[in-house]
Amino acid sequence: MRLAVFLIFCFSTFSIAQIQNDSIDIYSQNFESSFNEMKYDLALISADKLFTFAKQKNESTAQDKAKVYKAKVYYKLKMFDQSISLIEEIIKKNYATKEEITNFLEANNILANIHYSKYEDDKAIAKYFYIDSISEANKFINDVQIRAMQNIGLMMLRGYNPANNKKYGKAKDYFKKAYELAKSSNSLTEMHVSGLYYGSTFVESENPEIETALKFYDDANKYFFENKIVKEFSDTYWAYASLYRKINRNDLATKYYKEFIEKSKTFNDNNALIRAYWAYASFLYEIKKYEEAIKNYNAVIQILKNEKNIDYSIISNSYYYLSDIYKSRNENDLAYQALENYVTYRDSLEQKTNNQLFSDLEIKYQTEKKEQEIELLKTKNELSEKQKYIYIAIAVLLLVSGLFLFLGYRNKIKTAQKLNELNELKSRFFANISHEFRTPLTLIKSPVQQLQNNISNEEQNKQLQLIDNSANRMLELVDQLLELSKIDSGKLQIILKKGNLQHFFHSIVEPFSFKAKDENQEFTSTIENLDFESHFDKDIITKITTNLLDNAFKYNEEGKPIDFVTKKENQNLIIQVRNFNNQLKEADYKKLFERFYQKDNAISGFGIGLALVKDLVELYNGTIKTNFNNQQISFTVEIPLKKDITNAIVINENIEVISETSTPIEVTSNTELPILLLVDDNASIREVIKDIFSSNYQILEASNGKEALKLAQKEIPDCIISDVMMPEMDGFEFTKQIKSNELTSFIPVILVTAKTSEEAHLKALQNTADAFLTKPFNHEVLKATVSQQIQERKKLQERYSQELILKPTEVVINSVDEKFITKLETVLETAIPNSEFNAETFAEEMHISRMQLHRKLKSLFGVSATEFIRNERLKMAADLLKNEKLSVSEIAYNVGFNDVGYFSKCFKEMYHVSPSDYQKK
C-alpha cells in the first residue's frame, strides 16, 4: 500500500513538473518567435506572461529569464534606463546552475550592448571580456560568449572606412575564436554568423584570401536561406559585395549592394538599413559615381537624424565625403555646408572609438588577468611549502597501505585463478554430462513413441505422453546447459548479420500467437519503429525472446493477459515481456536469474531459462531489468544495435554464409536463378524468408494456398515454402493439390508452421510434403533443406541425361510424374520423325502453354522444350545407329533432321563421337 501511494505521488509530481516546464517552454518559444520577427509589442506580452506564470509557480530562474527577455526588448526600443533597471536585479544575484549562469551572462551582454550603443566603449569591451572569462571559468561554451567575441571583433572595426586602411588583425582573432566556439558547441546559427565576420577579414586583409572567404560566405548564405534567417541572410549580400569590390568586379558588387539594401528594408531595423546605404555610398564614392553616392549618403543622414541615439562617426563621415564630392564638382556652397556639418558632428563624436583605446583596453584586461594569475601562484607556493610535510606523512601512509593492498591483491589473484579453474571444470562437466544425457533420452523417446502408436488405452497413452513431454523438457534443459557451458568457457561468439528487425520479430512471435489461441490465453504483441535494416545476432535474440515468452506462458496467472513489446530507443533494441504471477513477491524477483531458483517446495522452479537469458544479454553488452507491481512481473531487455561489440563477428551483407550441410546453387545469370515460391498469410514472415534467399533465388510470393496454386501452375517454381495455417486454402490442402497436378507434382514442398505437434508433422507427410519445419525456424537449416531438395531434383535430371531412351519408371519416383512422362513418350513417338515438330507444337499436343512446358521440362529434366526434342531425336538416332542397318543420312531424316551436317554436329556434341564412329562400335 505504501509503495502504491509513493508511486502515485512520484507520478503526480513528475506530471506537474512536466506541465510547468511545457508552459515555460511555450511562453519562451512565443517570445523568441515575436522577437526574431521584430514584433516587440507581442514579445513584451509573452515576457510578461512568462514572468506572471513563473511567479505563481515560485520559479525564480524562470522569473529572471522573463526579466532578461524584457530587457532585450527595451534595449531594441532604445529604452536603456528601463533595460538597465531589470539587468541590475539579475546580475547582483549568485548563480549556480547552467540556466542561472545563462541568465547572468545574457544580462551582462545586454548591458555591454547598451554601453556600445552609447559609445561607452571602455565599459562595453570590459563587459564582453568579462562574459568570456566567466564562461571559460565555468567551462561553459554558450551563445552569449560567442556573441561577445563577435562584438569585440566588430568594435575593433568600428569607424572603419576605405580612407584609413584599417588593419583587421585583432578583429580576425576574435571572429576566429567566436567561430571555433560555435562550431565546437554545434551552435549552427552563431557559427555561420561568426563565419561571415571571420570570412570578411580574409577579404580586407593585406593579402586577400578570396577562396577562403567565399567558402565561409557560401556556407552562411545557404544556411540562412534554408532556415529563413532574414537579417543574417541580408548581411551575406554585403559580404559578397565587399569581396567583388576587392577584386574589381564592380558589376557584381553593385548588384549585391543593391540587394543588400532591398533585403534590409524587409525588416524593421534601421541600423541594418543605415549600414546598407553607407556601404553602397562608400563603394560609389570610390568608383567616382558621385551622383548615386550623394543619394545614398543623404539616405544615411536622413535615417540617422530620426534616430534617438545618433551614430556620430557614420554621420560625420557621410558629410565629409559629401563635402569632398561637391568640391570636386565645383559646387562650393554645398561643399561648405557639408563641411560645416562634418565639423559639428565630429566634435560631438567621443574620442573613445580610436584603435589605440581598444589596444589599451585589451592590454589592460590581459595584464590584470596575468596579475591575478601571479598572485594565485604566489599563494599556491606558500600553501605548498606548508603542505610539504603533510605530503610526506601521506606518502608514508600510502606506502604502507599500498603494501597491504599488494598482498591482498596477490591473494585475490590466486583465488581468482582457482575460481577460474573450478569454473572451467564445472563448464566441462556440464558439457560432458549434457552430451551423455542425449543418448539415453533418445533411447527413452523412441520406444515411448512406438508404444503410443500401438496402445489404444487412453489412460496409458496419457502416461506415455507425460513420459515423452518430460523427455522433451530434459532435452531442452540439455541444450540450455550446453549453451551456458559455452558462455562460461568464453566460446560463444556473437554473429552479427544484417536483417530487418520488424520481420524477424514477427517470425518469432507468430508461434506464440498460435499457442495463445490454442491454450485460450490473452496475448498481445507490439513491434514499433523496427522496420529497418540492422546488424544483430538472430540466434541469441531468438533465444532471449523465446525463453522470456516461454517463461511468461508457463507461469502466467490464469485469465490474465501476456504482453510483448519491442522497439528501438536511442540506438538500442528494447524487448519487454509482461505477465501476471500471484505466487511471487517483490523480494523473489531479484533471485529469478539464479540457476534453478525455487521459492519453496510447493512452487515449481524456474530452471535455467532466465539465467541463460541474463548471461546472453550480458554477453551482448546489454542490460536486463525486472519490475514487479501489483502481481504483474515484467522483464525489460536493452541490447545495443551497433557493430563494435566485444566478442562479435560482423558478417558483411555481400558475403553469403553457406551451411556445411548445404550445396551452393551454381548460376550464370539472374534469369537462370532457381525460382522459389513463398506462401504465407503473414507478410513479415515472407519478408524474413525472402531476405534469406533473395541473393540466390528468384522469389515469388502468395498470401494463401488458393493464390499460390494458380501462381505455381503458371510459373512452375523449383521449390515451394508454405505455411500451414492460412485462409482460403491451408498448407495441407495446398500440398495435396500441388502433388496431384501433373504440371506441379515434381515441385518439392517444404511446410513451415507454428504447429509443433507430431500429428501436424504426420499430416504433412501424408499430404506428400517433402519436408516439415517448425517456427521459429533456424535460417541455416531452412537454407540447407531448400538446397537439398533442389539438388535431389538435379540428380534426377543428370540421370535422365545419361539414358539413351526415355524410361519413366526408372527416371521419376512420383506416379503423377510417371503419367506425365508416359504422355510425353506417346506424343514423341508419333511427332519425332516430323521435321516441323517444334516447341510450340509440342506444347499444343501436351495441352499446356509453351512457358509451362518449358518450366516443367527444365525442372524435371534440366533442359528446355527445344533441347528436350533435340535430345530425344539424338537418343532415338543413337538407338537406330546401334540396332539398324541404315545409313547415317537415312537415320537423320527418320528422326526429324533435315540437315545431315547439323545432325552430325549435334550428335557429336552429345556423345563426343561422330554418328559413323558410333555405328562402328
Side-chain angles (χ1 to χ4, degrees), residues 306-323:
N306 293 325
E307 289 289 297
K308 185 176 180 181
N309 291 287
I310 298 175
D311 190 328
Y312 292 106
S313 64
I314 294 178
I315 198 169
S316 64
N317 282 328
S318 296
Y319 278 121
Y320 175 85
Y321 292 116
L322 281 173
S323 173

Side-chain angles (χ1 to χ4, degrees), residues 329-340:
R329 294 170 57 170
N330 295 318
E331 296 176 12
N332 295 325
D333 290 340
L334 292 173
Y336 179 77
Q337 186 178 350
L339 192 60
E340 275 192 324

Side-chain angles (χ1 to χ4, degrees), residues 338-353:
L339 192 60
E340 275 192 324
N341 287 325
Y342 164 71
V343 172
T344 301
Y345 284 105
R346 185 197 62 186
D347 292 340
S348 301
L349 178 63
E350 296 182 23
Q351 297 303 314
K352 299 174 185 177
T353 59

